[in-house]
């Protein structure tokens, strides 16, 4: 009877309905204009930035581009030298050539471009500044097809895009219990995401930030199935052991 009960539980747990796996089940009544479209990531502590300055006069802009050549022999930079990256320290500063100590914490990439361009115009004619994040990556774990850490080149990625990079959710994933783990300048925050509703489309967490982690837990049915399977294995193992003991006893009593 116990074995039969376990088997029934496993079968019941394995049944999955569309209500358990469909995304945005209220999308027909959702307000499309609520979708967030103007998100830009901001610079945080421990970010790695790539900054390149160019202009009509290469000799004039050269001091503003810290390169491997300048580290080994200052002033002997050649075009093939790779541009070094700038680490944002714990107080939110970078050390930029000539301009010195700059507080970049909380700036967007465009904010920093405009700040540097404005200050460089004092010495450089028509400066062009390029800024990008070198450490923009997200991690997706749990009930997805391909869990792992993914580099983001566009610096603008949604939760849906991140899940897509990880191969989408397994059928056994819990759609309404996804956990977003975010380091907000040293403070870890945990946000629960529900993909069954369209609310996420207008959420401030729809776009991911650098180093965000998405954890997708198993659905209750998946947990129940695993538990039932485990229990069934224990029962079978117990029966096998019992039969072995009985065989030994019979052998000794003959």
């Amino acid at each position: 009877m116990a074995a039969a009960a376990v088997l029934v539980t496993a079968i019941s747990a394995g049944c999955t309905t569309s209500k358990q796996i469909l995304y945005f089940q209220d999308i027909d009544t959702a307000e499309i204009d609520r979708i967030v479209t103007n998100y830009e990531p901001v610079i945080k502590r421990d970010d790695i930035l790539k900054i390149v300055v160019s202009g009509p006069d290469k000799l004039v802009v050269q001091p503003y581009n810290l390169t491997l050549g300048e580290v080994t022999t200052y002033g002997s930079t050649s075009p093939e030298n790779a541009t070094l990256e700038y680490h944002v320290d714990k107080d939110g500063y970078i050390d930029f050539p000539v301009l010195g100590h700059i507080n970049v914490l909380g700036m967007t990439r465009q904010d920093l471009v405009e700040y540097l361009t404005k200050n460089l115009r004092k010495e450089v004619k028509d400066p062009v500044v390029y800024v990008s994040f070198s450490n923009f990556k997200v991690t997706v774990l749990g009930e997805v097809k391909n869990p792992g850490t993914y580099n983001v080149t566009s610096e603008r990625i949604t939760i849906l895009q991140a899940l897509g990079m990880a191969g989408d959710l397994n059928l056994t994933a819990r759609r309404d219990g996804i956990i977003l783990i975010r380091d907000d300048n040293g403070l870890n925050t945990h946000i629960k995401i529900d993909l069954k509703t369209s609310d996420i489309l207008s959420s401030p967490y729809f776009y991911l930030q650098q180093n965000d982690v998405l954890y997708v837990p198993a659905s209750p049915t998946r947990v129940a199935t695993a538990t039932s399977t485990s229990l069934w294995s224990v029962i079978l193992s117990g029966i096998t052991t019992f039969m072995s003991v009985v065989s030994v006893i019979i052998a000794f009593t003959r």
Side-chain angles (χ1 to χ4, degrees), residues 198-216:
S198 61
D199 290 344
I200 186 60
L201 300 176
S202 59
S203 166
Y205 306 109
F206 182 56
Y207 283 94
L208 299 181
Q209 298 181 8
Q210 56 272 44
N211 302 313
D212 275 356
V213 177
L214 286 175
Y215 171 67
V216 182

Side-chain angles (χ1 to χ4, degrees), residues 19-90:
K19 284 291 186 181
Q20 294 172 305
I21 62 174
L22 291 181
Y23 299 167
F24 313 136
Q25 295 176 23
D26 64 343
I27 195 66
D28 289 340
T29 58
E31 298 176 25
I32 301 303
D33 59 356
R34 290 188 298 129
I35 297 177
V36 178
T37 58
N38 60 350
Y39 171 78
E40 283 190 81
V42 297
I43 299 171
K44 301 180 180 181
R45 296 179 179 89
D46 291 324
D47 272 346
I48 307 296
L49 304 175
K50 182 177 181 180
I51 304 175
V52 179
V53 179
S54 63
D57 192 329
K58 303 302 180 185
L59 290 178
V60 173
V61 299
Q62 179 177 307
Y64 299 96
N65 290 296
L66 183 61
T67 65
L68 293 175
E70 289 169 340
V71 171
T72 55
T73 307
Y74 184 80
S76 64
T77 309
S78 57
E80 65 269 22
N81 287 131
T83 302
L84 291 183
E85 295 162 332
Y86 298 82
H87 175 254
V88 182
D89 67 21
K90 62 182 180 63

